[in-house]
Amino acid sequence: MKQLLQLCQQEEKKLHQLSQQKNASQQRLLEIAQQQQQLSSMVSQYHAYPQQCANPLLMQNSVQMINAIQPLQKKLTRQKILLEQEHQRVDKIWRSQLGRQQGINWFYQDRLKQRQAHINKQEQKQMDDLACRYQLK
């Protein structure tokens, strides 16, 4: 029974660790989405600058900035794809671990109930035996 309780505790720890990993990857995905949004906003702004004034130097700077931002956008997109795959992998493991942990916990609780029922039965038998002895005297 003690080993089963220890197993329940170990499985709970594993589930907790996986939950932390899952939350961390979700947080990182949100950060990447924010960064992508910021870069897209910057590109939009740089596209708008040359249209506002026809200064050739400003147009050249805008094009250079857009060209500098595009590799960052591609890098973030690759990171996001990889992170989404990792998040899905961790989520799958977490779901599996959750099922395992719940199954072991259910088994442990069932064993506790069976044990308590057995103890109750033994106590009732002892009480019946004592009642029978006192009744015969």
Side-chain angles (χ1 to χ4, degrees):
M1 208 57 173
K2 188 177 180 179
Q3 290 108 356
L4 193 54
L5 177 61
Q6 288 174 341
L7 183 60
C8 282
Q9 291 169 344
Q10 287 174 350
E11 296 301 317
E12 184 67 34
K13 285 179 186 176
K14 287 179 189 176
L15 187 64
H16 180 70
Q17 289 171 345
L18 287 168
S19 294
Q20 287 178 329
Q21 285 180 353
K22 186 177 164 185
N23 291 339
S25 68
Q26 182 66 36
Q27 183 62 34
R28 184 68 181 122
L29 279 170
L30 290 173
E31 289 170 6
I32 286 177
Q34 288 174 345
Q35 290 172 356
Q36 284 180 316
Q37 179 62 36
Q38 290 170 346
L39 289 176
S40 294
S41 176
M42 289 172 68
V43 167
S44 296
Q45 288 174 354
Y46 284 116
H47 275 296
Y49 285 149
Q51 295 171 0
Q52 292 172 355
C53 52
N55 184 337
L57 186 58
L58 184 59
M59 291 175 76
Q60 184 180 0
N61 286 345
S62 292
V63 169
Q64 286 175 347
M65 286 304 293
I66 290 170
N67 289 338
I69 291 173
Q70 286 176 340
L72 296 173
Q73 287 179 309
K74 289 178 183 177
K75 182 179 177 184
L76 279 177
T77 301
R78 282 192 300 269
Q79 284 180 350
K80 185 177 179 185
I81 290 169
L82 291 173
L83 197 55
E84 284 172 342
Q85 291 172 347
E86 176 65 14
H87 182 71
Q88 289 172 353
R89 185 186 72 79
V90 170
D91 185 60
K92 184 178 177 184
I93 294 170
W94 179 83
R95 289 176 189 275
S96 174
Q97 181 63 28
L98 177 63
R100 177 179 167 80
Q101 185 267 338
Q102 287 178 338
I104 290 172
N105 192 38
W106 176 86
F107 184 69
Y108 175 70
Q109 295 298 326
D110 187 56
R111 289 295 167 151
L112 280 178
K113 287 178 188 174
Q114 288 178 5
R115 185 176 179 195
Q116 190 60 44
H118 181 71
I119 289 170
N120 290 344
K121 205 178 218 183
Q122 285 180 332
E123 287 177 356
Q124 186 62 45
K125 185 176 183 225
Q126 288 175 351
M127 296 295 277
D128 290 347
D129 288 346
L130 284 174
C132 197
R133 286 186 197 162
Y134 284 116
Q135 196 176 28
L136 291 175
K137 288 186 179 182

